[in-house]
Amino acid sequence: MTRLLTLLVVLCLVVPATVVDVAAQSDESQTAVASITDVTVSPTQPIVGERFTVTTTIRNAAASQSSLTINEVTLERISGNDVADVRNLGSLAPGGELRIPLTSEFAEVGVKRLRVVVDAESNGEDIELRYPLTVTVREGGPQVSISVDDAVVGTETTATVVVANGEDATARNVRLSLAGENVAVDDGDRVAPQIPSGETREFAFTVRPATTEGAVTATLRYTTAAGDTVTVDERLSLAADPLREDVGLAANVVEGGVEPPVLVDVTNFGNAPLSRVVLSAVADGTVVTRRAVDPIPAESSRSVRFNVSNVPEGDLTVRVDYETGASEGRVETTVPYRTNPGRIELTGVDYEREGDRLYITGSASNVGLSDVDSVIVSVVPGAGVQPARPYREYFVGTVPASDFVSFDLYAAVDANATAIPIRIEYLSDGIEQTSVYEVPIDDRQPTSGPSPATNGPSPLVFFGGGLVVLAVLATGGFLYLRR
């Protein structure tokens, strides 16, 4: 009996101690109770090239008996490729919470299937936590589009780049560049301090295709509201037509006026504009005048009223020089040119005999359409003709257009004179003009001696004597009757 009681006492003393030790050992071996409580993405739908942040919240439950050591947090694709990670984040006590941000970006649009992976340990045991998420990457930001006018090889044309900011935030520090493949771009950079939300900007560039096939690429760089630099590229293939050069030229003299203008029609039948157009008039191999003409677009024409001056009558060559594409060209045509400046002709010329002199009268008539100045008419010495006083020459002066001024001249002539030459001198549009007009002598005096036809007195002598006899007889009869 005594031995049984002793054994029971020993058991009572040993068993509680064993139970307590097992419980203590169970508490020490328990791992932390950890979880991912939240994952957020900001911005929720990032645009191409824009950095976004995935914030993961890790919690160690308050009921945990151990701390949680976080070795690594990784953002990865479902395929297993890492997108971003962070390591050695320290320990998290029971009841503690930790927010871990991971930042990345994508270069293409689309839905990205990702997951957050937490690699931790507690009481020597590895713990892995996973959290799936989806990120939608959109084009976003300012949108870029390119349009090019009709293009011809070697010819300048305009490429227009449109930047439209449909975002809620302003795009700052905007820089736009345009580059070409087989296409030359003049001054390919544009800058703007900002493009506010909802605004659209157009940027024009001058481009020149070198071949029939090429491309242009617009690159837009800007800063977002978050301070990120974003790059957007847009490419446009360009098909250019081969250069077709065809220029027509027509010219006509406008009738009327002293120096009538020339109406010139230049027609561009080609597919490229004509630039640096110069219109020239050439007379006797000399360029008498020239004029620059505005560029002529493809498949269009331009009419030019071309004034010329101091051009003699004759053929006038009208010439057009131009550039189209990368080449130079020339077309020309010839028109008969007739001027009508002031010109003096003698009209109403007559003469009277005064002994051995002829008194000449007439008019210096201006048959042109401009005034003539310093008109002088004079008798030209010649065979049987000499200038005589008092009017050897006569200063007429100015004769208005379509008007006349009378003059008087004297010339001494002998029996050998058949005509009286009269010189006309004047200034027309500042140019000295000279001409000679001959006045025929119709009643030349006969030489002395009997007439070769009768070899005796002239019949006029008998006729005059008869008249005298009749007068004497009539007078005598009248006196006789009065007696």
Side-chain angles (χ1 to χ4, degrees), residues 282-351:
V282 181
D284 296 331
T286 302
V287 176
V288 294
T289 185
R290 65 178 58 190
R291 175 180 173 183
V293 180
D294 292 337
I296 304 174
E299 298 182 351
S300 62
S301 61
R302 191 178 303 282
S303 296
V304 181
R305 194 179 179 90
F306 195 40
N307 294 321
V308 293
S309 60
N310 298 328
V311 176
E313 292 189 356
D315 289 339
L316 182 69
T317 299
V318 178
R319 176 186 299 165
V320 175
D321 296 283
Y322 59 88
E323 291 184 7
T324 181
S327 64
E328 297 180 352
R330 169 183 288 180
V331 291
E332 59 183 35
T333 187
T334 301
V335 294
Y337 190 76
R338 300 291 181 265
T339 61
N340 193 15
R343 186 174 75 255
I344 294 296
E345 291 186 2
L346 300 186
T347 60
V349 178
D350 200 357
Y351 64 87

Side-chain angles (χ1 to χ4, degrees), residues 9 101 255 355 384 433:
V9 170
E255 297 297 334
Q433 305 288 344

Side-chain angles (χ1 to χ4, degrees), residues 216-274:
V216 288
T217 300
T219 300
L220 177 68
R221 295 180 179 86
Y222 65 94
T223 303
T224 66
D228 297 324
T229 299
V230 180
T231 300
V232 180
D233 292 325
E234 180 70 14
R235 187 177 184 273
L236 176 68
S237 296
L238 183 63
D241 296 329
L243 177 64
R244 187 180 74 252
E245 181 181 349
D246 187 0
V247 180
L249 176 63
N252 295 285
V253 178
V254 180
E255 297 297 334
V258 178
E259 295 173 326
V262 179
L263 184 62
V264 181
D265 293 315
V266 184
T267 303
N268 182 7
F269 297 103
N271 60 352
L274 304 181

Side-chain angles (χ1 to χ4, degrees), residues 39-126:
V39 174
T40 61
V41 181
S42 178
T44 56
Q45 291 186 343
I47 64 175
V48 172
E50 181 182 17
R51 298 188 68 81
F52 63 93
T53 300
V54 176
T55 303
T56 303
T57 302
I58 304 173
R59 179 184 293 275
N60 189 2
S64 294
Q65 301 299 317
S66 301
S67 61
L68 181 69
T69 301
I70 303 174
N71 298 322
E72 183 178 7
V73 178
T74 305
L75 177 65
E76 65 180 20
R77 297 176 185 267
I78 294 298
S79 62
N81 296 326
D82 289 353
V83 176
D85 64 355
V86 62
R87 300 181 181 184
N88 302 322
L89 298 173
S91 297
L92 186 61
E97 187 176 83
L98 181 64
R99 290 182 176 84
I100 302 168
L102 294 173
T103 302
S104 185
E105 65 181 50
F106 289 104
E108 67 281 340
V109 299
V111 177
K112 313 300 178 182
R113 301 187 183 279
L114 311 172
R115 63 189 171 200
V116 176
V117 179
V118 179
D119 181 13
E121 63 177 77
S122 178
N123 285 338
E125 294 186 14
D126 293 336

